Amino acid sequence: MAVLTAGLALAQPAVAADPIILGNTAPYSGPASAYGTIARAEEAYFKMLNDAGGISGRPIEFLSLDDGYSPPKTVEQTRRLVEQDEVLALFSAVGTAPNIAVQKYLNAKHVPQLLVSSGASRWNDPRHFPWTTSFNPTYETEGRVYAQYILKTKPDAKIAVITPNEDAGRDYLKGFKEGLGPHADQIVGEATYLTADPTIDSQIITFQQSGADVFFAEATPKFAAQALRKAADLGWKPLIILPTVSNSVSAVLEPAGLANAAGVVSGAYLKDPGDPRWADDEGMRAWRAWMNQYQPGANPGDILNVSGYTAAQLMALYLERCKAELTGACLVKQAQSLHDEVLPMLLPGIRLNTNPDDVVPIRQLQMMRFDGKSWALTGDVFGD
């Protein structure tokens, strides 16, 4: 088992050497702009590494471009990063549909598409896409965990579920229905939405009328917040489940109104900065010191800052292990060779493992409930 620590002690400024150029696309604008926080955190983490001397004396140049969560824009920006900026790899590009739009292109070019910030199952297909690896647990795995939780806590539930009309939503729904098994007929309301839609109010009204007492709101932050607000406005009080991609206190629960979010449950694999149990945790203390120094204006309650920090730590591990053999092929090899790695902001019991046939590093989740102020972990760790 390997343990990677944050390492905030600063050495001399980064030496003048050929930079390691990493590319990224993220939605700094548009309906999914909350996810831009992930890339900002990654940029700040690499700034810390550069201040400490970089990787083997080489600074990291992180080129992150806005794609507005629009696949055509992702294609344009990715081509720029590959053909003009000549990046070594794409790292942690955000979103399912945006990454799908460039997956074949990057694999044909033999440019690594590493630690994709999405849990779609297609990132775990090294046979057809050997240059692609993921970061998040797969949406199918997450969907199955939520179904198991419902069957354990509300076995007679009447369930409503909304998903985006894209691969991510279909993956979540597939895993969710597989987890329900013969109880899938307890779904009494099912709907989709488009990222460009202004609201999902009509779907929430239909769900209330269906008599559902459990609501799986598998939605991006903007729509997840809308769902919580609309349910409260209607006086509809089901058990609401949010996906890991939309359980940020600052990006989802605060815009929805904390009172409206009380009792919501979700899955977790990262330590929540708002959970008092981590007040004296060594990893959390290092994270807060990094936030204070490198992201003084960022929201310390936003779990997306923890996500970006952790993904950047893992990318740095790949770079460090390649050393002098810093090629795209070496990075992919490292991404396929994790064994019981532990990062400081992962929940206890969650370890990273990959192999050439399974390139999903995070395969476990723990359930948590929002008490109106912060998330509180409940139960055991689920998953492989």
Side-chain angles (χ1 to χ4, degrees):
M1 179 181 72
V3 180
L4 182 65
T5 58
L8 283 170
L10 301 183
Q12 71 279 3
V15 297
D18 291 338
I20 300 167
I21 306 176
L22 301 178
N24 169 274
T25 55
Y28 295 105
S29 62
S33 59
Y35 292 140
T37 297
I38 299 172
R40 292 187 185 95
E42 291 160 350
E43 181 178 27
Y45 188 85
F46 293 141
K47 175 66 165 60
M48 182 196 73
L49 290 184
N50 289 342
D51 285 350
I55 299 289
S56 299
R58 297 177 62 183
I60 297 172
E61 186 175 346
F62 183 57
L63 305 179
S64 182
L65 304 180
D66 183 17
D67 67 358
Y69 210 81
S70 168
K73 187 67 173 177
T74 308
V75 171
E76 175 188 337
Q77 300 288 48
T78 301
R79 285 185 175 274
R80 171 183 163 183
L81 290 165
V82 172
E83 297 169 17
Q84 296 181 31
D85 299 309
E86 299 182 340
V87 298
L88 174 64
L90 267 290
F91 157 66
S92 188
V94 175
T96 299
N99 274 286
I100 289 173
V102 297
Q103 187 177 23
K104 289 181 179 179
Y105 166 77
L106 291 170
N107 275 261
K109 288 283 190 180
H110 293 183
V111 175
Q113 184 183 26
L114 300 177
L115 297 171
V116 171
S117 189
S118 157
S121 59
R122 66 181 292 138
W123 316 134
N124 192 27
D125 186 8
R127 179 181 175 186
H128 296 102
F129 299 105
W131 295 85
T132 299
T133 72
S134 72
F135 177 66
N136 305 65
T138 68
Y139 297 146
E140 289 185 16
T141 295
E142 192 175 342
R144 283 193 292 272
V145 166
Y146 296 148
Q148 293 163 8
Y149 176 80
I150 292 169
L151 293 178
K152 182 177 180 180
T153 59
K154 290 181 71 72
D156 298 322
K158 295 179 180 178
I159 305 164
V161 54
I162 191 167
T163 56
N165 189 16
E166 59 173 61
D167 279 28
R170 287 183 280 274
D171 278 355
Y172 266 117
L173 191 60
K174 180 175 183 288
F176 189 63
K177 288 183 175 179
E178 286 178 353
L180 290 174
H183 298 274
D185 60 1
Q186 292 176 220
I187 297 177
V188 297
E190 187 177 325
T192 62
Y193 72 91
L194 298 174
T195 303
D197 289 346
T199 75
I200 55 173
D201 286 358
S202 62
Q203 292 97 316
I204 306 305
I205 292 170
T206 300
F207 289 159
Q208 182 203 29
Q209 295 170 346
S210 74
D213 55 11
V214 171
F215 175 29
F216 179 23
E218 198 293 285
T220 51
K222 169 187 170 182
F223 295 104
Q226 282 186 8
L228 296 180
R229 284 199 308 269
K230 189 62 178 178
D233 290 345
L234 294 171
W236 182 41
K237 298 182 179 180
L239 169 66
I240 298 177
I241 300 173
L242 293 179
T244 58
V245 295
S246 292
N247 60 24
S248 168
V249 174
S250 63
V252 177
L253 306 189
E254 288 179 354
L258 294 182
N260 297 333
V264 168
V265 299
S266 185
Y269 53 90
L270 297 169
K271 295 172 184 174
D272 180 5
D275 188 339
R277 81 176 64 200
W278 308 120
D280 296 322
D281 177 75
E282 181 180 354
M284 184 63 73
R285 287 200 303 268
W287 180 84
R288 291 195 184 282
W290 166 79
M291 283 286 289
N292 289 336
Q293 183 168 355
Y294 287 93
Q295 293 221 90
N299 188 334
D302 191 343
I303 194 72
L304 297 179
N305 282 309
V306 180
S307 180
Y309 175 90
T310 303
Q313 283 188 325
L314 187 52
M315 185 67 214
L317 181 64
Y318 297 165
L319 294 169
E320 289 166 355
R321 288 183 174 175
C322 283
K323 297 181 179 178
E325 188 198 348
L326 191 47
T327 64
C330 180
L331 290 174
V332 171
K333 180 180 178 180
Q334 298 306 321
Q336 296 177 347
S337 308
L338 298 175
H339 178 68
D340 280 348
E341 306 290 344
V342 176
L343 299 181
M345 291 300 282
L346 291 174
L347 290 174
I350 295 182
R351 290 171 169 79
L352 308 182
N353 288 281
T354 57
N355 61 64
D357 298 316
D358 189 341
V359 295
V360 179
I362 302 173
R363 308 175 192 178
Q364 300 160 300
L365 291 171
Q366 185 168 3
M367 295 301 293
M368 60 183 182
R369 181 181 296 273
F370 189 70
D371 63 10
K373 295 181 180 179
S374 63
W375 289 104
L377 294 172
T378 62
D380 299 322
V381 172
F382 288 86
D384 300 334

